[in-house]
Amino acid sequence: MNMKRRLFLKGTLASTTIALAAGAGLITPQQLLAAWPESAFGAKSVDDAYSAIGGGARTPSDAVMIKAPQIAENGAVVPITVSSTLKGVTRIAILVEKNATPLVALYQLPTGTHPYVSTRIKMGKTSNVIAMIEAEGALYTAEKEVKVTIGGCGG
Amino acid sequence: MAGSIKIRAKIESDGACEVKALIKHTMETGMRKDKDGEKIPAKFIQEILCKHGDKVVLETNWGGAVSKNPYISFRFDGASKGDKIELSWTDNTGESDAAEAIIK
Amino acid sequence: MSLSRRQFIQLISLAGAAGMLPATASAASRRQGEDLYQTPGFGNVSLLHITDTHAQLNPIYFREPSVNLGLGRAKGKAPHLVGEALLHHFGIAAGTPEAHAFTYLGFSEAAQQYGKVGGFAHLATLVKQIRAERGEGNSLLLDGGDTWQGSGTALWTRGKDMVGACNLLGVDVMTGHWEFTYRDSEVLQNINDFNGDFVANNVSLTEDALFDYRFSDFAGYDEDSGHAFKPYTMREVNGVRVAVIGQAFPYTPIANPSRFIPDWTFGIRPEEMQERVDQIREKENPAVVVVISHNGMDVDLKLAEVVSGIDVIFGGHTHDGVPAPIAVSNRGGKTLVTNAGSNGKYLGVMDLDVRGGKVQDFRYRLLPIFSNLLKADAEMQRYIDEVRRPYLGQLNEKLALAEDLLYRRGNFNGTFDQIICDAQRVVGDAEIALSPGFRWGTTVLPGQAITMENLLDQTATTYPETYVREMSGADIKRILEDVLDNLFNPDPFFQQGGDMVRVGGLDYVCEPGATIGSRVSDLTLDSGKKLEATKKYKVAGWATVGSQAPGAPIWEVVAEYLRQQKVAKIEKMNLPKLKGVAGNPGIAA
């Protein structure tokens, strides 16, 4: 993360002040958010997203676990938990293969933080959800299909 | 956006601290159109930072495909009951918020 | 004319003599000439099971399906057997009362002969008899859910008529599905009023609700685990510790409106089931671990493969009247899977021989409740009469005469569904009608009056509102494809357990074994014109899950149509032309 920005934020400017400053053209959001990997989040395919976050050879692994519903109760709110039994995990990425821009979230895990993150994501249609984990410099992946349906007619 | 964050942090039976946070935020992708066919401008959280005292325990980048009113949960070692935890977010328009909680 | 009890028993004896050879150990417990309801004692723990009674307090007719297709691994196996294939598989002789109970064969005539089935007063008599025979404290009565919904009175009393009936019946443990279609506060009130335990291992709070739960004082809620209801209960039966885990319908917020229960989230959650079984085996010292499940039978069969340590899964949801359990092998041994039909038609009786801290052997019977053979229990009948009295005027209204046998159950349009679709098209002046593929809904015999009660048996939901709106041909195809995938996805964990959405005014070719997007072709309107993807059509429908539809409740629409018709005739059944199912024993030849 951009240290300058963190210091800047630490200067306890209230959020509204930052927004005002940005609005007045004093600073731009891009300046503030230099650390956000725009090329990765803007990538239109899983492979492009991988290369943008510094991809390399990836190994599918049972040690990467994805907890997700078989069928989403609501495609706009799909709970996903990624965890791993691997040691030395430094990064976790969550991607949705068939979303227009597949990369959803990227987590940096300092030492002492467990390889376990849980969040809720949007899915436009049935797709594989992919978890990629970086552990001791190597990349591991797992995927799980989540179905998005129109519902009704049960029972 | 003050007051947008709810945090719960608790020491689990294995000694790790589990943090759960819920953030009130629209998470607009910038791809949706309103009922008049106008594009709704992008507004989504791009960064989350969580600190235990001075130590960063999680840094996160999000795209617009994280759900509205996002939820995040993670676990870390080295915390004790009564410690302070701080979580902050910043969105693509530069808006941000921060909140603190005491670990239970 | 229906038979007297004596004639009935004589018939059963004849059926035995005619070579009704039991194919399984469970069926073998019934010997020639015995009273249908003489169930010889076996073992030391008896678990009685009802499921999917759908609030049918009084005896009814219910025709089993003539189409219940199984594909892939499920092809040709129970529960995907109908008619003669089912009789042959389970060793039941044709022309017997049991053949009538378990199949659609010669339904109208056989129904006249054997009379109605089910009814809580008749069920109560049998439950009391068996529990008395087994001895005080030696049995449990389990209810798989879909008990508090399905009738006009259940809807009008918001499930309370059934809570009272279940308390009188002595249900010990239950789980749910349609129970969750009332408002969350009503669901919790009903559970509080229920004397037994309501269990669900697979229902938890949404992340949002965890931060600020409106019902945090509800007794079954566990803040630490996030479970909205008690996941399981331990019961002592004849000195044996029995664990009963609940598995509510995993897709409730998808198949039914989530807006009534916004704080709860469901799912099959096989990993959590394994963790629960392991935890119970380790900490609770049980001799028997069973699950009451509302997964549906195909899902249960897969769950029994991937989870070990369960002795029996007592299943429901798919309304399969399966005469004998299916033993499924898994890494821990074997798990028995049952399914006990619907509409109060059956009582499952599982007698277990439990010794040395585990199940050694079992006997199972799925007993049809013939109301002419079982005297009504006086106390239950009084209760039923009392609770129904304020509504009799509405329920007894005769809307029209049924020209044909009217039923719903089956993978595609039943005759009653066709009436509902026809009514929607006529009243809404629509080209096409859609109606949900619910598996509940009782049967009306030809020549009988269709009463408002019969109509409510098909339609009594908390989201009955109708709509008439424009949809493109592509939208319509997408709906059909989506629902077909819920029914025929090769992976049972993706099956939601309902039947195909019913259509009116539209025929199509359907290949169940194809994949989503390519099962439906050749969509043709009743006019003979082909459905065009980009053209808009006026479509009438009801039971919208996402948001409340604007129109009158469906029963008002259908009642209006029937009153005008006077005699309910079906001009044309909109049944799809099926491809690739020739020789499948899940469809009548």
Side-chain angles (χ1 to χ4, degrees), chain C residues 398-414:
Chain C
K398 291 180 176 165
L399 300 168
L401 210 64
E403 190 177 79
D404 305 296
L405 177 71
L406 299 182
Y407 62 90
R408 172 177 279 156
R409 183 70 239 282
N411 288 157
F412 303 98
N413 285 25

Side-chain angles (χ1 to χ4, degrees), chain C residues 439-459:
Chain C
R439 294 191 174 199
W440 43 274
T442 58
T443 301
V444 179
L445 301 186
Q448 281 193 331
I450 306 168
T451 61
M452 191 56 154
E453 175 156 36
N454 296 142
L455 176 54
L456 287 163
D457 284 353
Q458 315 287 329
T459 56

Side-chain angles (χ1 to χ4, degrees), chain A residues 56-82:
Chain A
R58 298 174 300 274
T59 317
S61 169
D62 288 347
V64 179
M65 280 87 77
I66 303 175
K67 192 176 147 194
Q70 267 91 15
I71 307 180
E73 290 180 1
N74 174 356
V77 190
V78 184
I80 304 286
T81 300
V82 177

